[in-house]
Amino acid sequence: MTTAKDIMHPGAEWIPAHETLDRAAQRMRELNVGALPIADENERLCGILTDRDIVVGCVAMGHDPARVTCGDMAKGTPRWIDAGADVNEVLEEMQGHQIRRLPVIENKRLVGMISEADLARQLSDDQLKAFCESVYAPS
């Protein structure tokens, strides 16, 4: 059985909710990633910040990324998957919520992220096609 831990990109890092978006953008550049899970003061997942969130939700709105926090951008219920979950559960979670990145949690700790690129390396052509059709379909 292929698990979330088998396909994830290990070494994901939190960005604290109190951190500013300019610092988050710098961290994304340093890590060469397009998204960071947002952690509250108890290191619990409270959202995911994407590079697009920074551009569209802050900069394009005329806000200063040095004054807006990651927590300000956290919206909705964050989705995650247990490290031991089967790849089919990963697909159900991502397809069902039309999300492109999924934090992987083990023993209440962030251990990795699953992205579209990770799925592309692991899925069959048919599985990948179904994923793309459901995630990129208009809601």
Side-chain angles (χ1 to χ4, degrees), residues 108-128:
K108 299 184 181 180
R109 305 305 258 170
L110 177 69
V111 294
M113 289 278 281
I114 296 174
S115 69
E116 301 153 302
D118 299 316
L119 292 177
R121 285 188 288 274
Q122 296 292 323
L123 300 179
S124 70
D125 288 346
D126 289 340
Q127 287 175 309
L128 191 56

Side-chain angles (χ1 to χ4, degrees), residues 73-129:
M73 300 299 288
K75 296 180 178 84
T77 302
R79 309 306 305 180
W80 58 274
I81 196 84
D82 184 80
D86 179 83
V87 69
N88 290 320
E89 294 174 70
V90 171
L91 288 172
E92 286 174 22
E93 186 69 20
M94 293 177 81
Q95 289 172 309
H97 297 281
Q98 291 188 304
I99 55 177
R100 300 172 187 164
R101 298 170 181 101
L102 189 63
V104 180
I105 307 293
E106 184 175 55
N107 299 321
K108 299 184 181 180
R109 305 305 258 170
L110 177 69
V111 294
M113 289 278 281
I114 296 174
S115 69
E116 301 153 302
D118 299 316
L119 292 177
R121 285 188 288 274
Q122 296 292 323
L123 300 179
S124 70
D125 288 346
D126 289 340
Q127 287 175 309
L128 191 56
K129 180 179 182 240

Side-chain angles (χ1 to χ4, degrees), residues 25-106:
Q26 292 164 2
R27 196 68 190 127
M28 286 180 190
R29 182 189 65 222
E30 292 163 3
L31 296 170
N32 193 31
V33 298
L36 291 169
I38 305 169
D40 66 14
E41 63 279 352
N42 298 316
E43 288 197 0
R44 293 182 55 93
L45 182 66
C46 63
I48 295 180
L49 179 70
T50 67
D51 47 7
R52 187 175 193 284
D53 293 333
I54 296 170
V55 172
V56 175
C58 179
V59 177
M61 299 297 286
H63 301 296
D64 181 357
R67 295 180 159 242
V68 178
T69 68
C70 296
D72 293 336
M73 300 299 288
K75 296 180 178 84
T77 302
R79 309 306 305 180
W80 58 274
I81 196 84
D82 184 80
D86 179 83
V87 69
N88 290 320
E89 294 174 70
V90 171
L91 288 172
E92 286 174 22
E93 186 69 20
M94 293 177 81
Q95 289 172 309
H97 297 281
Q98 291 188 304
I99 55 177
R100 300 172 187 164
R101 298 170 181 101
L102 189 63
V104 180
I105 307 293
E106 184 175 55

